[in-house]
């Protein structure tokens, strides 16, 4: 998050919380008096001293890397695969001498060891075969395709989705913001922004992962699917836009990438321009980020409940810090000094806070406590993604003390980690993680992608799968590659594809 001007360079003070002036659809824009104290919601670029000499503000390390992979520091070992050591070779038994007085024959320890090894190997094989039998079990029930919503275009890209008791709300770059009935897939409403907002762009570019308790969510719009110019509060049941808020103005004209999250009645707005929280009911400002100093560069990331900021401040003794803030109040949870810039590549959970952090020296996925101390997850060679191949999916969840998350490792996998120890508990290959709809049970669901597709339940502690229902492979085949899979309260499977080329939305019952 940067700004092109700084205090002390002839720039008038920023209006406190400039970006948090909600506008209802009937309101006209109006001027607001500037505050007497600079309190920008964004940190600033470091101004150059007047003598022309300056210390450069370092940019983050942008070298290509695999996000979510661990560094090579010692840590908890990954989930083990049992390997039997070969039995030791039996000692050589001397032959009888020429005088006929043979040396006493040694006991057949080699045979005993071999027999024991065979028995152990047989037991191990039985255990392996048992797990393979479980994985190969076929569900007695099947689901058939009930309806399909074609993609708006082949290049349509999913921005996000919400699921209520009776509606799927889907936002995409070519389809806009629309709601469909779960019963038959028919469109119920489409959001129609006012002309003023439409002039700033009508393409959804960000969407809160979930709805608040009042059935309100936040959606950002812009002129393309990558940058955002305004934010709206949307009532999911009706599609009514309750308020709008500009994400650009005369001083900050460039549209930037953004994300938005909910925690209770507060929606956080996380972008390269600014950071803060608004009341999801009215759009009024709740809190705004304030930099540690006057000469800072800062970078922010968010999730439900938590915001993380990595900053560099030239006018502070501690130049680099990594800080976590409460998304509801904006209060600091913890701050830790760093030796260089930290890049948060993924936040997998907000409670507990689990994040993949990259620095110039190492990558690691850590579980952070209330003081900022981190415990590494033993991810091994897996790349934890937080969603099924797209940032529009947020299926990673903590169940009890187990983090269950999508990952990649020469294919699509699901990993389970003990958040208390960091150990990898299990890996399920060739499967995509599903999300449960409101009112559904707490079962962890997945859909297998190798062989005939099946909906399976997963024990989060052991990774053992239980077949629930088969999915069709003929007419209306399972064609999921990336996106979100929901399991509805009545046991239906809703496939929300991230790419238009994969067929839009399908419901199986």
């Amino acid at each position: 998050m940067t700004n092109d001007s700084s205090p002390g360079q002839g720039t008038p003070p920023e209006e406190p919380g400039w970006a948090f002036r909600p506008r209802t659809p009937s309101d006209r824009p109006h001027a607001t008096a500037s505050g007497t104290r600079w309190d920008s919601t964004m940190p600033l670029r470091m101004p150059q001293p007047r003598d022309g000499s300056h210390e450069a503000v370092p940019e983050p390390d942008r070298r290509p890397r695999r996000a979510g992979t661990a560094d090579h520091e010692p840590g908890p070992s990954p989930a083990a695969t049992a390997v039997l050591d070969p039995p030791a070779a039996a000692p050589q038994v001397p032959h009888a001498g020429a005088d006929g007085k043979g040396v006493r024959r040694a006991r057949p320890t080699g045979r005993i060891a071999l027999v024991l090894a065979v028995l152990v190997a047989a037991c191990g094989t039985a255990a392996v075969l048992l797990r393979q039998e479980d994985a190969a079990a076929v569900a007695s029930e099947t689901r058939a395709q009930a309806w399909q919503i074609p993609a708006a275009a082949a290049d349509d890209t999913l921005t996000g989705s919400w699921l209520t008791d009776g509606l799927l709300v889907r936002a995409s770059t070519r389809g806009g913001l629309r709601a469909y009935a779960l019963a038959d897939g028919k469109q119920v409403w489409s959001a129609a922004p006012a002309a003023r907002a439409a002039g700033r762009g009508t393409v959804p570019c960000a969407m809160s992962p979930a709805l608040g308790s009042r059935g309100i969510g936040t959606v950002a719009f812009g002129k393309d699917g990558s940058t955002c110019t305004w934010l709206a509060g949307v009532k999911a049941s009706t599609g009514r836009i309750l308020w709008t808020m500009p994400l650009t103005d005369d001083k900050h004209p460039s549209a930037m990438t953004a994300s938005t999250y909910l925690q209770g009645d507060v929606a956080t707005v996380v972008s390269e321009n600014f950071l803060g929280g608004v009341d999801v009911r009215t759009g009024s400002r709740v809190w705004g980020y304030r930099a540690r100093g006057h000469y800072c560069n800062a970078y922010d990331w968010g999730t439900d409940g938590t915001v993380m900021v990595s900053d560099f401040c030239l006018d502070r003794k501690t130049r680099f810090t990594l800080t976590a803030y409460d998304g509801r109040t904006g209060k600091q949870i913890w701050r830790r000094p760093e030796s260089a810039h930290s890049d948060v590549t993924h936040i997998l959970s907000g409670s507990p806070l689990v994040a993949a952090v990259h620095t110039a020296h190492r990558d690691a996925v850590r579980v952070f406590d209330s003081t900022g101390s981190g415990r590494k997850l033993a991810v091994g060679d897996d790349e934890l993604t937080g969603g099924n191949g797209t940032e529009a999916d947020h299926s990673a969840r903590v169940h009890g003390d187990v983090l269950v998350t999508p990952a990649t490792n020469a294919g699509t996998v699901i990993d389970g980690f003990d958040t208390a120890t960091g150990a990898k508990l299990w890996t399920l290959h060739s499967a995509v993680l599903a999300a449960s709809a409101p009112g559904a049970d707490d079962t962890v669901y997945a859909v297998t992608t190798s062989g005939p597709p099946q909906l399976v339940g997963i024990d989060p502690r052991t990774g053992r799968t239980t077949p629930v229902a088969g999915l069709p492979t003929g007419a209306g085949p399972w064609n999921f590659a990336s996106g979100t899979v929901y399991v509805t309260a009545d046991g239906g499977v809703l496939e929300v594809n991230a790419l238009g080329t994969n067929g839009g939305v399908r419901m199986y019952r």
Side-chain angles (χ1 to χ4, degrees):
M1 299 182 298
T2 59
N3 189 12
D4 293 335
S5 59
S6 299
Q9 292 183 303
T11 304
E14 285 279 2
E15 175 187 347
W18 69 268
F20 301 97
R21 297 195 299 271
R23 297 173 181 170
T24 60
S26 60
D27 289 340
R28 290 180 176 271
H30 59 278
T32 305
S34 298
T36 57
R37 180 180 180 183
W38 176 75
D39 179 18
S40 175
T41 57
M42 69 188 80
L44 304 174
R45 291 188 188 277
M46 178 196 70
Q48 297 182 5
R50 297 182 184 278
D51 62 2
S53 62
H54 66 280
E55 180 178 346
V57 178
E59 292 294 327
D61 181 8
R62 300 298 185 187
R63 295 175 299 171
R65 62 190 181 281
R66 295 181 60 199
T69 55
D71 56 28
H72 298 288
E73 296 178 2
S77 59
T81 301
V83 178
L84 293 173
D85 292 329
Q92 296 294 324
V93 179
H95 293 285
D99 59 359
K101 296 180 180 180
V103 179
R104 187 174 64 180
R105 186 178 300 275
R107 291 181 181 273
T109 56
R111 294 182 183 178
I112 296 174
L114 179 60
V115 170
L116 289 175
V118 169
L119 290 174
V120 171
C123 294
T125 302
V128 172
L129 288 177
L130 177 62
R131 293 302 298 271
Q132 290 178 342
E133 182 179 353
D134 289 344
V138 177
S140 59
E141 298 182 8
T142 59
R143 302 284 188 267
Q145 181 174 307
W147 49 261
Q148 178 180 0
I149 303 168
D155 60 348
D156 188 33
T157 303
L158 182 69
T159 301
S161 60
W162 302 324
L163 204 66
T164 71
D165 292 338
L167 295 177
L168 166 69
V169 182
R170 180 180 185 272
S172 67
T173 56
R174 296 296 297 273
L177 181 62
R178 301 172 185 270
Y180 305 90
L182 294 180
D184 54 17
K186 293 182 179 179
Q187 182 175 309
V188 176
W189 57 257
S190 63
R196 181 184 66 250
R200 300 195 300 266
T202 60
V203 179
C205 55
M207 188 178 196
S208 59
L211 295 168
S213 59
R214 302 173 188 270
I216 303 173
T218 47
V219 182
F221 298 84
K223 294 185 178 181
D224 56 55
S226 301
T227 57
C228 305
T229 57
W230 61 286
L231 183 75
V234 181
K235 184 73 171 177
S237 59
T238 63
R240 181 187 172 196
I241 295 179
L242 304 177
W243 50 265
T244 67
M245 183 183 77
L247 301 182
T248 59
D249 69 357
D250 293 340
K251 295 179 181 178
H252 314 86
S254 299
M256 297 292 184
T257 58
S259 57
T260 177
Y261 305 91
L262 292 185
Q263 34 280 306
D265 287 332
V266 177
T268 47
V269 186
V270 182
S271 81
E272 295 181 30
N273 271 344
F274 67 90
L275 170 63
V278 299
D279 189 315
V280 73
R281 299 164 295 181
T282 63
S284 59
R285 179 182 185 271
V286 175
W287 64 271
Y289 172 79
R290 181 178 295 180
R292 290 189 297 129
H294 293 291
Y295 308 103
C296 298
N297 270 1
Y299 305 85
D300 54 356
W301 304 269
T303 188
D304 294 337
T306 309
V307 173
M308 299 183 74
V309 175
S310 173
D311 67 3
F312 170 85
C313 291
L314 188 60
D315 58 343
R316 289 293 179 264
K317 182 178 180 180
T318 302
R319 298 291 179 86
F320 294 95
T321 67
L322 181 64
T323 308
Y325 296 92
D326 186 312
R328 184 191 298 268
T329 64
K331 293 182 178 179
Q332 177 183 310
I333 301 173
W334 52 258
R335 173 172 287 155
R336 48 186 285 179
E338 299 287 335
S339 60
H341 170 72
S342 299
D343 191 16
V344 179
T345 55
H346 291 291
I347 301 182
L348 304 169
S349 168
S351 180
L353 179 59
V354 184
V357 181
H358 167 79
T359 68
H361 307 292
R362 63 188 179 185
D363 285 347
V365 182
R366 297 183 182 275
V367 182
F368 293 92
D369 61 20
S370 59
T371 66
S373 298
R375 180 184 304 106
K376 286 178 54 181
L377 296 186
V379 301
D381 292 330
D382 289 1
E383 178 184 353
L384 309 189
T385 58
N388 295 315
T390 173
E391 293 183 1
D393 181 56
H394 307 271
S395 53
R397 288 286 186 277
V398 173
H399 300 268
D401 59 355
V402 178
L403 171 68
V404 180
T405 178
T408 58
N409 183 350
T412 302
V413 302
I414 302 172
D415 285 339
F417 296 93
D418 189 320
T419 58
T421 65
K424 182 187 288 187
L425 301 175
W426 50 267
T427 293
L428 178 62
H429 292 271
S430 301
V432 294
L433 187 59
S436 294
D441 57 30
D442 294 330
T443 303
V444 181
Y445 289 104
V447 174
T448 61
T449 58
S450 178
Q454 290 194 97
L455 176 67
V456 298
I458 305 175
D459 184 317
R461 173 55 59 175
T462 66
R464 185 178 295 275
T465 61
T466 303
V468 177
L471 296 172
T473 56
W478 176 260
N479 192 35
F480 186 85
S482 62
T484 299
V485 178
Y486 291 105
V487 178
T488 61
D490 61 358
V493 179
L494 187 61
E495 169 193 352
V496 184
N497 285 286
L499 301 176
T501 51
N502 288 339
V505 180
R506 295 184 180 89
M507 169 64 87
Y508 304 91
R509 284 199 176 95

